[in-house]
Amino acid sequence: KLSANMSKNLSESENAVLGAVGGFLDVTLLQATNYWKNASQQGLPFETNPRVLYRGYFANCLNNSTSVMLQFVGTGLVQKAICLGEDRDLTKAEQLAAAFSSGYLSGFICGPIELAMIQQQRKGTTLPATASSLVAGGPSVVTRGTFGICMREGLYCAGVLGLTPVLRKMI
């Protein structure tokens, strides 16, 4: 039986591996749909060419694997901190707060990586060339959209690592 406090009961290494593998699989399976979403938002034509659809794949793997890994590890660390060494279940509010905070904080790392992935998709440049261009633009360019990503990741993580276990326990 899975525990409602799974992240708290796993080691940081176990959480890291689980998150990194999950993030990698997510990107590998959904890269084309991610490209179509970004292309639609930017008014780019619909593509079916895999060479175009998988532009930015490495940056997206780096982004998503890092993000989900940080979210799993962060949620576990925050849950452990909340319990202060006590062996107890978290309240519903504690479960949601731990997950949201870890997701929110992961956005500061993953926001710039996601920006690089989107720029690669738009321009077809290599990851090093894209990163150089973004860094040359300064902090306001590198962090563009980061606070929105922090909120998105906080809400996502609160749903996946917070609300899902709460609902599973209630059912």
Side-chain angles (χ1 to χ4, degrees):
K1 179 182 172 186
L2 288 174
S3 166
N5 300 316
M6 182 181 80
S7 292
K8 179 174 75 86
N9 296 332
L10 296 176
S11 72
E12 284 74 25
S13 298
E14 291 169 326
N15 273 318
V17 168
L18 188 62
V21 169
F24 170 78
L25 290 173
D26 176 37
V27 171
T28 300
L29 295 171
L30 299 174
Q31 175 68 19
T33 60
N34 193 31
Y35 175 85
W36 291 325
K37 173 196 65 115
N38 291 336
S40 174
Q41 290 171 341
Q42 298 166 27
L44 299 174
F46 184 81
E47 277 287 347
T48 57
N49 180 348
R51 292 184 70 131
V52 174
L53 295 176
Y54 280 80
R55 274 188 202 152
Y57 173 76
F58 179 74
N60 201 12
C61 281
L62 178 65
N63 174 47
N64 212 31
S65 294
T66 302
S67 179
V68 178
M69 177 187 66
L70 290 172
Q71 291 167 357
F72 272 71
V73 172
T75 299
L77 289 171
V78 173
Q79 288 174 344
K80 289 171 187 171
I82 289 170
C83 289
L84 299 171
E86 290 180 48
D87 185 20
R88 67 171 179 88
D89 284 343
L90 294 155
T91 67
K92 294 170 190 165
E94 290 170 336
Q95 185 87 17
L96 291 167
F100 178 84
S101 63
S102 118
Y104 187 89
L105 292 173
S106 75
F108 288 105
I109 304 293
C110 299
I113 300 171
E114 187 164 335
L115 176 62
M117 183 256 321
I118 291 168
Q119 292 303 308
Q120 272 192 282
Q121 288 178 341
R122 286 190 76 197
K123 299 176 181 177
T125 54
T126 65
L127 184 55
T130 303
S132 289
S133 173
L134 292 173
V135 169
S140 65
V141 171
V142 173
T143 59
R144 185 182 333 149
T146 295
F147 289 109
I149 288 173
C150 289
M151 286 302 295
R152 180 193 71 195
E153 293 302 314
L155 293 170
Y156 165 78
C157 197
V160 172
L161 297 177
L163 188 59
T164 300
V166 166
L167 292 175
R168 185 177 63 230
K169 193 173 182 178
M170 291 171 60
I171 296 173

